[in-house]
Amino acid sequence: MTTVYIDLAEAKAIAFILPLLSTHCPHLRHLVLSLSADDFDLPPLFVPPTLTHLGLYFSERTDPLTLRTIFARVAEIEPSDAHLEVVRLLDPESGAVKKLRKNDPQIWSEGIKKWKARGWIVQDWEGKEIDAEAPWLWLESRVCRYN
């Protein structure tokens, strides 16, 4: 198995799931986490060492402070834990990400910059690279494209 999709309703579950994936999925390269809780206190992430791509989907109800915590937890993944190359945000019309980009561009920019500082490529749901410096351009290009 090279790809796993996990819908997390409770943040604590990830602490039990990730070690199981490391043990039972030796060829895992892609992990998609759907973070569906309103208030998500994500514990530290210890991802399988074979992981190269991490996809994140946020609930519509996820607030900016929770997103800040999630951005920080992902940025804390130890280099020795994974060969992570790409972090992809998989929610094209999620109110949470849209609101964050629009209302809290500093949190958005800080999060994206932390991931890019790790050498990771940060992409949108279509695989297009996200620019932390100009989140409004990314937003505007999507708005124009789909209207």
Side-chain angles (χ1 to χ4, degrees):
M1 184 178 323
T2 60
T3 303
V4 172
Y5 299 86
I6 300 172
D7 186 0
L8 290 171
E10 194 173 319
K12 292 181 277 186
I14 197 73
F16 300 104
I17 294 170
L18 291 179
L20 289 173
L21 292 176
S22 293
T23 303
H24 298 289
C25 302
H27 303 290
L28 183 66
R29 297 184 46 82
H30 302 110
L31 176 63
V32 177
L33 297 176
S34 176
L35 309 172
S36 57
D38 302 10
D39 181 23
F40 218 87
D41 186 19
L42 195 65
L45 296 174
F46 299 99
V47 299
T50 56
L51 194 70
T52 60
H53 290 69
L54 176 63
L56 299 171
Y57 178 86
F58 304 106
S59 164
E60 181 82 19
R61 302 176 307 250
T62 307
D63 65 80
L65 293 178
T66 300
L67 283 173
R68 176 184 270 176
T69 302
I70 293 169
F71 276 41
R73 285 290 192 224
V74 170
E76 292 168 358
I77 293 173
E78 289 297 320
S80 59
D81 290 337
H83 295 97
L84 196 60
E85 298 169 8
V86 177
V87 177
R88 186 175 287 183
L89 301 175
L90 299 171
D91 45 356
E93 295 302 320
S94 167
V97 171
K98 195 181 289 187
K99 282 187 276 188
L100 182 67
R101 289 191 322 255
K102 184 178 178 186
N103 300 332
D104 293 298
Q106 183 177 357
I107 293 174
W108 169 262
S109 183
E110 285 174 10
I112 300 300
K113 284 179 184 177
K114 283 181 183 179
W115 293 350
K116 288 186 172 242
R118 298 290 309 273
W120 302 334
I121 299 167
V122 183
Q123 298 176 337
D124 68 6
W125 67 97
E126 294 178 323
K128 294 181 181 161
E129 194 162 355
I130 295 173
D131 183 1
E133 295 300 323
W136 56 89
L137 294 177
W138 183 68
L139 174 63
E140 292 302 318
S141 68
R142 297 307 186 258
V143 169
C144 294
R145 184 174 183 179
Y146 289 105
N147 281 343

